[in-house]
């Protein structure tokens, strides 16, 4: 299991095991990793753990977050990476990470595909959506409809087509301008929401699909109940609500 070694100016102060789906770092005492320093924002950064992978994200902190001396917004953590928050260092240590070889650079995690409601009219599958431009442009503040972002982390071998009979997850928009449009969840990770307001990820695992809160004060709601900070398993025909938009999750045969 991965952990963070916490230090200040070379002096080790302790360590933290990454034993939760989402771990927050910040000055508020409610954070999983509490750093009581004025250079640290109340909720400064978060680490999302999915399987053997860990993803660091700066939560629009005042002084920013760096990894190995480079300022980041999102970053796939590798064994030995040093996270810098204020004057403090958090070294990421994972024995499993040493055995993982990924294609591309860590910045690949930051490249997400923004599918706007107008573009979704011509979309029937996520493969069609792949023809759209890849960008990280923030949505307009006055746009009430959350963007639907499809982000994938590519393993060394190219992904194989699902075997016949395997159930694939889908999301169909039930409200807003994109109502009726559908997104096939055939990637390892799909991001939903509006940056700065509420962002969640749906992860595809061998034993099902799970939704996890990633960013913002707005937590996803499933069948009328908030999922909180932990991963929540999705079932066929669950209704998801995020940033005021309702979506139905359902399963189909590949």
């Amino acid at each position: 299991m991965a952990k963070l070694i916490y230090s200040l100016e070379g002096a080790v102060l302790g360590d933290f095991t990454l034993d939760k789906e989402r771990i927050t770092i910040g000055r508020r005492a409610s954070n999983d990793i509490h750093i009581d320093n004025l250079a640290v924002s109340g909720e400064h950064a978060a680490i999302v753990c999915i399987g053997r992978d860990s993803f660091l994200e700066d939560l629009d902190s005042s002084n920013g977050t760096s990894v190995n001396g480079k300022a980041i917004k999102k970053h796939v953590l590798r064994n030995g990476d040093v996270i810098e928050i204020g004057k403090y260092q958090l070294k990421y240590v994972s024995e499993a990470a040493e055995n993982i070889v990924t294609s591309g650079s860590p910045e690949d995690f930051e490249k997400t595909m923004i599918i706007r409601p107008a573009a979704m009219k011509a979309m029937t599958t996520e493969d069609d959506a792949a023809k759209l431009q890849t960008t990280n442009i923030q949505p307009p503040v006055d746009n009430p409809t959350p963007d639907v972002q499809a982000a994938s982390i590519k393993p060394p071998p190219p992904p194989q087509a699902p075997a016949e009979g395997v159930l694939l997850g889908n999301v169909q928009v039930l409200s807003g301008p994109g109502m009726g449009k559908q997104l096939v969840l055939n990637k390892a990770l799909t991001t939903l929401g509006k940056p700065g307001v509420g962002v969640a990820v749906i992860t595809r695992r061998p034993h099902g699909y799970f939704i996890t809160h990633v960013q913002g004060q707005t937590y996803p709601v499933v069948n009328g109940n908030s999922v909180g900070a932990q991963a929540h398993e999705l079932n066929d025909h669950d209704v998801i609500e995020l940033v005021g938009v309702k979506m139905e999750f359902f399963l189909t045969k590949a």
Side-chain angles (χ1 to χ4, degrees):
M1 184 176 292
K3 66 179 179 179
L4 296 175
I5 299 176
Y6 177 42
S7 63
L8 173 64
E9 297 178 350
V12 175
L13 304 177
D15 60 71
F16 301 92
T17 301
L18 303 184
D19 55 0
K20 295 173 58 178
E21 290 273 352
R22 186 174 186 269
I23 294 171
T24 59
I25 306 169
R27 193 173 71 251
R28 295 194 190 106
S30 58
N31 287 282
D32 299 296
I33 299 177
H34 176 216
I35 303 178
D36 189 10
N37 186 277
L38 292 177
V40 181
S41 295
E43 195 166 281
H44 196 104
I47 296 175
V48 176
C49 301
I50 302 173
R52 296 184 299 176
D53 298 321
S54 300
F55 309 101
L56 171 69
E57 181 171 8
D58 180 81
L59 300 179
D60 296 322
S61 64
S62 299
N63 295 310
T65 302
S66 297
V67 176
N68 303 329
K70 180 181 177 182
I72 61 94
K73 289 298 293 181
K74 295 179 182 178
H75 179 81
V76 181
L77 288 168
R78 306 275 179 86
N79 188 47
D81 278 351
V82 177
I83 304 167
E84 298 168 71
I85 295 178
K87 295 182 179 180
Y88 294 84
Q89 295 83 40
L90 296 162
K91 185 176 181 180
Y92 178 74
V93 178
S94 173
E95 294 180 2
E98 295 177 341
N99 300 321
I100 298 174
V101 179
T102 59
S103 61
S105 64
E107 288 73 17
D108 288 342
F109 176 62
E110 299 184 35
K111 298 177 182 177
T112 58
M113 184 179 304
I114 294 181
I115 306 170
R116 306 217 177 253
M120 288 177 67
K121 293 181 180 179
M123 182 188 73
T124 55
T125 68
E126 197 172 14
D127 290 335
D128 296 326
K131 299 175 184 177
L132 300 177
Q133 182 179 1
T134 299
T135 179
N136 276 320
I137 299 174
Q138 297 291 327
V141 175
D142 59 353
N143 179 9
T145 303
D147 297 322
V148 179
Q149 306 177 22
S152 64
I153 304 166
K154 299 179 180 178
Q160 298 178 352
E164 185 177 354
V166 172
L167 294 178
L168 276 179
N170 301 259
V171 169
Q172 184 170 19
V173 182
L174 301 179
S175 64
M179 185 170 61
K181 304 308 173 184
Q182 181 179 325
L183 179 67
V184 181
L185 306 174
N186 57 2
K187 303 296 183 182
L189 182 149
T190 301
T191 306
L192 305 173
K194 180 182 289 186
V197 181
V199 178
V201 294
I202 295 179
T203 55
R204 182 184 178 193
R205 304 183 186 179
H207 52 288
Y209 288 83
F210 292 77
I211 187 167
T212 307
H213 173 72
V214 173
Q215 181 192 47
Q217 298 298 317
T218 303
Y219 286 84
V221 172
V222 176
N223 300 331
N225 298 312
S226 173
V227 303
Q230 300 303 310
H232 177 87
E233 185 173 5
L234 292 170
N235 296 308
D236 197 17
H237 299 298
D238 275 350
V239 175
I240 304 166
E241 185 172 353
L242 182 64
V243 200
V245 171
K246 290 185 177 181
M247 297 159 277
E248 181 185 4
F249 170 84
F250 62 97
L251 298 167
T252 58
K253 287 187 178 181

